[in-house]
Amino acid sequence: MSDTNASSPNPVRSNERPGRPSRPVGDSVQQHIKTAVHKELIKRIDLDKLAEIQETRGAQQQFFNVVQSMVNEQGVPLSATERDRLAQEVVDEVFGLGPLEPLLKDDTISDILVNTYSSIYVERRGILEKTSLTFQDNRHLLHTIDKIVSAVGRRVDESSPMVDARLPDGSRVNVIIPPLAVDGPILSIRRFGSSPLGAADLLRFQALTPPMLDFLSGCVKARLNIIISGGTGSGKTTLLNTLSSFISERERIVTIEDSAELQLRQEHVVRLETRPPNVEGKGAIRQRELVINALRMRPDRVVLGEVRGEECLDMLQAMNTGHDGSLTTIHSNTPRDALARLETMAMMGEVRIADKAIRAQIAAAVHIIVQASRMSDGSRRITHITELTGAFTDVISMQDIFLFEKKGIGPNGKVRGRFYATGIVPKCADKLQAAGIPIPIGLSDHSLEIQ
């Protein structure tokens, strides 16, 4: 790297006039400069050593200085701000994900949505907004996508045009390319951040109240089986991370996911991830196989990222055969809908079981359903904490322990409402007391207004 820096000539500024600021350079000229610098980098630098440079902060700064010098060599009058920005964009292209790097560094952004190369949207505090950033073309976007998916052993091409992947910080990535995406490659990134939200953060954002959190943490510690239900973007994975933090450090946890996103803080965690089919369409490992295998790994807890298919029956059987304290998520709008989906997915397997038997298994296996919802102002709330009390005839009996009642929109555009306890003593109170966990104070008359 030092030889490259020494060979760089002094910056060329022949077109600049003393005392007058240079005019802003157009996008096409800036793109031309970046392309020229890229070509020059390939000539000057041993690209095989870039991985070593990426791990060293001092070397990255030296690399940035070299790129600055190369930008100056192009002979285009640039202000100091433009020169630094162009150099940073080149560095981001070499070491990171190009135009997406500044978005990934912004902690206020929760979703990055790339609708073809020329249109990038972000969600910030629950509101979608379009950015001024773009890729050079679809080929540039595909190159960035390939960087993401290849880093986790996935592939995307015409024979496999859809893929789920993840970033190093655990953020969820979904890609779909032509011929399925008509206008060009589509990239969606759901960000979780390097340090996931904890229980204190959920309380601060008023996603739930202290008595509700105390009750849920008690349920986890008492090894009750909990399902987190909610729609897309309602905070299911964040809540699953939070509840899993109440699991004892002395327990062995096995996680199963389509794409490993959970960020459990315990030391004794075994992470399993499904495998997509190969080019010939063979070799796929689904969640069901991982659930069956996980039960042979002496788990104290099984955490399933999301139940979505025939693995549901195996999960229910595991909950009923000594693997108490399991956690999972499911896509549904209400606790009752969650039960209907569980019943449907349990029937998707090859084994044919009577409806009544499946309902009995669900009622015996699942203790608590936590419903998460995304409000119109972008905030997330726990709207139901519901207990299953048994199966009678053709219906699974349920009772709500905590609810959130929406009361409208305030003058500031925020959703108004009230958290409250229904006053029903949960059936699981005996299990909590047997585990040495006191029932939260004020459980029967808890109420909190949200303005």
Side-chain angles (χ1 to χ4, degrees):
M1 182 63 70
S2 57
D3 293 339
T4 305
N5 200 10
S7 63
S8 301
N10 292 328
V12 178
R13 300 179 182 269
S14 57
N15 293 331
E16 292 191 24
R17 296 183 181 180
R20 288 187 60 184
S22 56
R23 295 180 179 179
V25 178
D27 291 340
S28 60
V29 176
Q30 293 186 28
Q31 190 59 53
H32 173 76
I33 294 173
K34 286 194 288 185
T35 303
V37 171
H38 268 291
K39 292 179 179 179
E40 191 65 23
L41 278 173
I42 294 174
K43 293 179 184 178
R44 295 190 188 186
I45 296 177
D46 183 0
L47 297 180
D48 292 334
K49 295 182 179 179
L50 284 180
E52 299 176 9
I53 296 173
Q54 187 172 3
E55 296 175 358
T56 308
R57 183 174 299 179
Q60 282 195 26
Q61 182 60 44
Q62 189 178 4
F63 185 84
F64 177 79
N65 295 336
V66 171
V67 173
Q68 274 189 320
S69 298
M70 296 173 70
V71 170
N72 289 331
E73 291 173 24
Q74 301 305 310
V76 178
L78 296 168
S79 68
T81 302
E82 289 175 326
R83 184 173 63 251
D84 290 346
R85 182 169 56 81
L86 272 176
Q88 187 60 53
E89 288 178 2
V90 173
V91 172
D92 288 342
E93 198 65 51
V94 173
F95 293 119
L97 301 180
L100 300 182
E101 279 299 311
L103 303 180
L104 293 170
K105 294 173 183 175
D106 188 343
D107 293 334
T108 65
I109 293 176
S110 57
D111 284 273
I112 302 173
L113 308 172
V114 182
N115 303 336
T116 71
Y117 75 94
S118 60
S119 177
I120 301 178
Y121 284 81
V122 298
E123 181 185 280
R124 188 180 273 111
R125 299 182 182 90
I127 306 298
L128 281 175
E129 56 185 71
K130 188 173 183 180
T131 71
S132 59
L133 301 173
T134 62
F135 288 85
Q136 185 176 351
D137 49 33
N138 279 332
R139 184 178 177 184
H140 183 199
L141 175 54
L142 280 171
H143 175 70
T144 302
I145 289 172
D146 188 60
K147 267 188 177 182
I148 296 172
V149 300
S150 61
V152 291
R154 304 291 172 104
R155 63 182 179 86
V156 59
D157 50 38
E158 288 190 1
S159 63
S160 180
M162 294 187 298
V163 68
D164 287 317
R166 66 181 186 277
L167 297 180
D169 65 0
S171 296
R172 180 187 307 162
V173 177
N174 177 265
V175 174
I176 183 166
I177 67 171
L180 301 185
V182 178
D183 298 321
I186 308 296
L187 171 66
S188 305
I189 300 176
R190 168 69 54 77
R191 299 192 58 212
F192 295 124
S194 55
S195 56
L197 297 179
D201 299 305
L202 297 185
L203 292 176
R204 188 173 73 254
F205 296 137
Q206 296 183 320
L208 74 174
T209 63
M212 295 168 69
L213 182 62
D214 290 342
F215 176 73
L216 290 177
S217 67
C219 290
V220 173
K221 294 172 184 176
R223 302 183 63 86
L224 301 185
N225 297 320
I226 300 175
I227 291 182
I228 299 170
S229 166
T232 301
S234 60
K236 298 187 299 297
T237 304
T238 299
L239 184 57
L240 183 58
N241 269 321
T242 301
L243 294 186
S244 66
S245 68
F246 299 117
I247 299 175
S248 170
E249 290 281 355
R250 294 179 292 178
E251 297 186 59
R252 175 178 170 87
I253 307 169
V254 178
T255 68
I256 301 168
E257 300 173 84
D258 267 342
S259 183
E261 302 163 353
L262 294 174
Q263 297 171 299
L264 274 62
R265 300 175 183 177
Q266 289 84 348
E267 183 178 355
H268 199 168
V269 177
V270 178
R271 305 171 72 199
L272 304 181
E273 185 178 56
T274 61
R275 186 178 72 184
N278 58 22
V279 179
E280 300 173 352
K282 300 178 181 179
I285 304 295
R286 300 168 299 174
Q287 284 198 139
R288 183 181 185 187
E289 284 88 342
L290 293 180
V291 170
I292 294 172
N293 188 79
L295 302 183
R296 302 168 182 158
M297 298 172 66
R298 198 250 172 235
D300 289 309
R301 307 265 187 161
V302 176
V303 179
L304 188 60
E306 179 184 344
V307 58
R308 61 180 68 182
E310 57 189 8
E311 72 275 2
C312 177
L313 183 59
D314 299 282
M315 180 196 71
L316 292 173
Q317 290 178 335
M319 290 177 172
N320 273 322
T321 54
H323 296 89
D324 296 329
S326 297
L327 301 169
T328 188
T329 70
I330 188 172
H331 268 83
S332 58
N333 294 324
T334 67
R336 181 62 67 180
D337 289 344
L339 294 182
R341 284 210 66 207
L342 285 174
E343 187 176 337
T344 301
M345 288 186 289
M347 296 178 181
M348 293 172 65
E350 299 175 356
V351 180
R352 294 290 174 246
I353 304 177
D355 297 355
K356 187 175 181 179
I358 290 178
R359 293 190 191 104
Q361 279 223 17
I362 293 173
V366 181
H367 299 116
I368 300 292
I369 296 179
V370 183
Q371 182 69 39
S373 297
R374 175 173 170 162
M375 304 287 110
S376 57
D377 61 356
S379 61
R380 279 78 170 175
R381 299 274 189 271
I382 305 304
T383 58
H384 298 72
I385 296 180
T386 303
E387 181 184 32
L388 275 63
T389 57
F392 302 95
T393 62
D394 292 333
V395 179
I396 297 176
S397 178
M398 308 166 66
Q399 60 184 15
D400 296 323
I401 308 302
F402 291 96
L403 292 172
F404 175 75
E405 178 187 9
K406 185 177 176 181
K407 292 187 174 181
I409 307 296
N412 56 357
K414 298 295 183 181
V415 171
R416 296 171 54 250
R418 179 174 71 103
F419 288 107
Y420 66 97
T422 60
I424 297 174
V425 177
K427 183 180 177 182
C428 63
D430 293 340
K431 293 184 178 180
L432 294 179
Q433 290 177 344
I437 299 165
I439 301 298
I441 298 174
L443 181 64
S444 60
D445 57 358
H446 171 63
S447 180
L448 178 66
E449 294 284 340
I450 302 296
Q451 300 296 331

